[in-house]
Amino acid sequence: MKIYRLLTEDDTSKFCHKVTEALSKGWELYGNPTYAFDASNGVMRCGQAVTKEVDAEYSPDMKLGAQ
C-alpha cells in the first residue's frame, strides 16, 4: 500500500531537514513543493508531499510518520 504525508514548516532550514529526514527513511517526493504566506503568523511556509510503499493494511489510526 502507498501512504501519503504532507510535510509543512516555516521557510527555514528546518523544513529542508524535515524533507531530508523523510527521504532518508524511504519516503519519495510527490509533486512540486508549495510556498505560501501564512498571514496569521506573518511568515512564509513551505510544503512538500511525500509517499512511501509499506507492507501494511490501511487504518485511520496509522501513525504515518512512524512508517
Side-chain angles (χ1 to χ4, degrees), residues 6-20:
L6 179 62
L7 305 174
T8 62
E9 185 63 56
D10 290 351
D11 183 21
T12 65
S13 64
K14 188 173 178 181
F15 173 73
C16 295
H17 286 282
K18 185 183 277 192
V19 173
T20 300

Side-chain angles (χ1 to χ4, degrees), residues 41-53:
N41 293 309
V43 297
M44 294 301 289
R45 301 226 358 126
C46 300
Q48 175 64 59
V50 292
T51 61
K52 184 177 183 181
E53 283 289 335

